[in-house]
Amino acid sequence: MRASLIQIAVDPDETVDSRRQRAAALVREQSGVDLVVLPELWPTGAFAYELFAAEAEPLDGGPTYEVMAKAAADAGVWLHAGSIVERGAGVDGPLYNTSLVFSPAGELTRTYRKIHRFGFDKGEAVMMAAGTELVTVPLPEATLGLATCYDLRFPELFRGLVDAGADVLVIPAGWPERRRAHWTLLARARAVENQSYVLAVGSAGTHADVQQAGHSIAVDPWGEVLAEAGPAEQVLTVDLDLTKLAATREQFPALKDRVLGLPEPRR
């Protein structure tokens, strides 16, 4: 399974529409891979809170939906289009940090509303409503488990995704540079403890005065880094050997040894 991680730069001097078109062009260039992933809230920037309400979109038929659906179909790829600021039902409906996954036909197949909102008592944590559902996406090659940015700090979410059948954990983010060490550490930890591939895709650039970490990373089920981007805009393409995933879980069956009254993972 081949995946391309598009670490797009978020520049406050670039219009949101221009960035949509540029991201779509990058997606189209990935024709021939199986899966393409974009970062969290790349249309606005994950820390550009002042833009959230104005740039919020309906789930179906909004501008990012339309552009990304066409890009997925043009490239013939599964596209995790990162996340958008979703406006829930009604003019004054709640805001959500929502990921969109499109099929190679350009159909919206899954959405995931971010469960753990960052900001403590400000920003996303108070401006957005929380998601409540774990989401997996069955692809022909593997099953994706969806999470977003701050979710990375909550291991129980990922164990739930593995219990639901996930093989590849996909984590778009707008992770700040000042905590980059945690980004790579936690991505590797989630891979090791869940014996899963991890595709963690960050953004580049600076928005709302927050420098982004970049350094998108692909990790195998043993915690080995397959590839890691630098700090600037970059497309990272990796091959995932899914037979290695099955072999890891068979040769070192740690998931079977869980205790604390938790159910055994689904076989």
Side-chain angles (χ1 to χ4, degrees):
M1 177 179 173
R2 176 163 285 190
S4 289
L5 317 183
I6 299 180
Q7 181 173 285
I8 196 165
V10 179
D11 183 342
D13 293 329
E14 181 182 30
T15 67
V16 173
D17 186 60
S18 173
R19 189 155 45 253
R20 285 192 191 101
Q21 298 303 324
R22 191 162 60 81
L26 288 169
V27 170
R28 291 187 179 94
E29 290 175 6
Q30 311 314 309
S31 179
V33 308
D34 301 298
L35 172 67
V36 178
V37 188
L38 284 161
E40 175 191 29
L41 296 178
W42 57 268
T44 58
F47 287 88
Y49 305 135
E50 73 282 359
L51 298 179
F52 284 3
E55 295 293 344
E57 308 178 37
L59 191 59
D60 188 346
T64 302
Y65 170 98
E66 296 289 349
V67 170
M68 290 293 105
K70 189 173 188 308
D74 289 346
V77 298
W78 284 92
L79 172 62
H80 186 314
S83 69
I84 63 169
V85 180
E86 177 201 349
R87 172 70 73 182
V91 176
D92 296 318
L95 303 181
Y96 296 94
N97 186 339
T98 303
S99 293
L100 310 177
V101 179
F102 296 91
S103 76
E107 299 170 341
L108 183 66
T109 60
R110 292 287 193 281
T111 62
Y112 165 66
R113 288 172 169 169
K114 185 177 181 182
I115 292 174
H116 300 97
R117 298 158 298 159
F118 180 71
F120 309 109
D121 58 352
K122 60 184 179 181
E124 181 187 36
V126 296
M127 297 178 70
M128 291 182 162
T132 58
E133 298 180 1
L134 297 181
V135 178
T136 60
V137 187
L139 271 57
E141 302 84 1
T143 297
L144 309 182
L146 305 190
T148 305
C149 201
Y150 190 44
D151 284 334
L152 187 58
R153 293 185 179 274
F154 299 88
E156 59 273 21
L157 183 151
F158 295 90
R159 189 50 55 85
L161 290 171
V162 169
D163 285 354
D167 309 300
V168 180
L169 304 171
V170 182
I171 309 155
W175 201 277
E177 165 61 26
R178 62 181 174 269
R179 288 187 288 273
R180 177 161 62 89
H182 290 185
W183 167 249
T184 52
L185 173 66
L186 292 169
R188 295 184 70 185
R190 298 295 87 87
V192 170
E193 69 196 7
N194 294 296
Q195 299 185 309
S196 301
Y197 281 100
V198 165
L199 302 177
V201 187
S203 56
T206 300
H207 50 88
D209 298 322
V210 179
Q211 183 180 352
Q212 295 297 283
H215 287 269
S216 298
I217 189 170
V219 188
D220 79 4
W222 276 105
E224 297 296 327
V225 176
L226 299 176
E228 183 174 348
E233 182 164 297
Q234 183 177 346
V235 178
L236 197 67
T237 299
V238 294
D239 290 306
L240 310 184
D241 181 357
L242 297 172
T243 63
K244 183 176 183 179
L245 185 147
T248 299
R249 293 182 177 182
E250 181 178 351
Q251 294 167 8
F252 195 81
L255 292 173
K256 293 181 180 179
D257 290 335
R258 294 165 58 187
V259 290
L260 300 178
L262 297 174
E264 288 190 5
R266 189 178 70 181
R267 299 291 190 267

